[in-house]
């Protein structure tokens, strides 16, 4: 099998663009997934793998998984470690990387939004936070994720990797604003997660479907217009000296309370 050695190859350059640019991902309708487990999760989730890159060492080390991914990929490309380092988004690459078509999740979301429990994210910027939220949401069977369009790109390589495959399986919807989504879906009871001693404690709330909890930006929280659009304000009671929690930590705690 031919081994690609040139970093200047057009296929390599286009893959580097997908790694670096949200605009390139949007315009091409493609994104990358890296790592043995994440690439295999993509296959198990029936994602459309356009290209599969692997080093020879990774191929030999994970031969069975390599063969399964190669079987469904439109194109399999062996590359040198130097070329793989060029397209990789990690400091210690495992030698597997897939280029995948973006996922149609809207149809899935529409079939369940009238009966599920959802999480909405407003202007969440940290890809590591978003990946962790997706992972927790899938782990505890949240029905889907709503994101404002000013959140970080859900197809960012760090989000895809951090979600541990949840991005392939969890229904999600990207809307202009969370306020617009709430107005368009008045049948869904909405809860604004805030740091406010006057808000109801999440431990005292009954989360009855259909419902959605809205979580805001890591530094600034929710827009006041979004809070005002929600049915109720809720808060995570804290007895320590910390003023607030990391967005992904707060989301995980809220998710647990939602599904109890």
């Amino acid at each position: 099998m031919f081994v690609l050695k040139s970093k200047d190859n057009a296929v390599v350059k286009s893959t580097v663009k997908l790694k670096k640019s949200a605009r390139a991902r949007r315009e091409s309708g493609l994104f990358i997934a890296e790592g043995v487990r994440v690439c295999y999760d993509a296959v198990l989730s029936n994602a459309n793998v356009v290209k599969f890159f692997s080093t020879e060492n990774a191929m030999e080390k994970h031969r069975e998984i390599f063969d399964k991914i190669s079987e469904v990929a439109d194109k399999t490309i062996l590359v040198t470690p130097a070329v793989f380092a060029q397209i990789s988004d990690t400091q210690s690459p495992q030698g597997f990387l897939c280029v995948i078509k973006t996922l149609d999740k809207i149809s899935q979301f529409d079939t369940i939004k009238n009966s599920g429990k959802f999480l909405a994210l407003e202007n969440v910027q940290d890809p590591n936070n978003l990946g962790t939220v997706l992972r927790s949401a899938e782990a505890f069977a949240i029905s889907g994720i709503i994101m404002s369009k000013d959140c970080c790109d859900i197809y960012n390589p760090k989000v895809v990797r951090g979600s541990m495959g949840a991005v392939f399986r969890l229904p999600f919807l990207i809307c202009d604003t969370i306020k617009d989504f709430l107005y368009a879906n008045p049948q869904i009871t909405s809860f604004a997660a805030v740091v406010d001693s006057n808000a109801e404690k999440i431990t005292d709330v009954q989360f009855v479907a259909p419902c959605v909890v809205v979580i805001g930006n890591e530094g600034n929280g929710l827009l006041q217009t979004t809070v005002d659009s929600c049915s109720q304000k809720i808060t995570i009671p804290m007895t320590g000296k910390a003023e607030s929690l990391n967005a992904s930590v707060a989301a995980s705690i809220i998710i647990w309370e939602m599904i109890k």
Side-chain angles (χ1 to χ4, degrees), residues 109-145:
F109 194 95
D110 284 344
T111 62
I112 61 175
K113 71 179 181 181
N114 291 324
S115 60
K117 294 182 179 181
F118 304 93
L119 203 67
L121 306 175
E122 182 174 77
N123 194 28
V124 172
Q125 292 299 302
D126 189 326
N128 294 313
N129 276 340
L130 181 53
T132 300
V133 170
L134 294 174
R135 185 177 181 181
S136 296
E138 190 205 17
F140 295 108
I142 289 296
S143 302
I145 299 288

Side-chain angles (χ1 to χ4, degrees), residues 14 45 95 97 99 129 140 150 152 157 196 201 208 212 222 247 253:
S14 65
S45 302
L97 184 146
V99 175
N129 276 340
F140 295 108
D150 55 4
C152 69
D196 185 343
K201 297 177 182 179
V208 179
V212 57
L222 292 171
I253 293 171

Side-chain angles (χ1 to χ4, degrees), residues 37-38 40-46 103 105 108 112 134-135 138-139 142-144 163-172:
R37 179 175 174 178
V38 176
Y40 190 43
D41 274 344
V43 172
L44 294 177
S45 302
N46 297 316
L103 310 163
K105 296 289 188 174
Q108 294 181 39
I112 61 175
L134 294 174
R135 185 177 181 181
E138 190 205 17
I142 289 296
S143 302
S163 79
M164 294 304 291
V167 71
F168 303 122
R169 298 180 290 270
L170 188 67
F172 61 82

Side-chain angles (χ1 to χ4, degrees), residues 9-30:
N9 182 278
V11 173
V12 173
K13 288 183 176 180
S14 65
T15 305
V16 171
K17 285 184 180 180
L18 294 178
K19 175 182 72 171
K20 294 182 176 181
S21 169
R23 180 177 179 179
R25 294 190 288 270
R26 286 194 303 270
E27 292 179 349
S28 66
L30 301 171

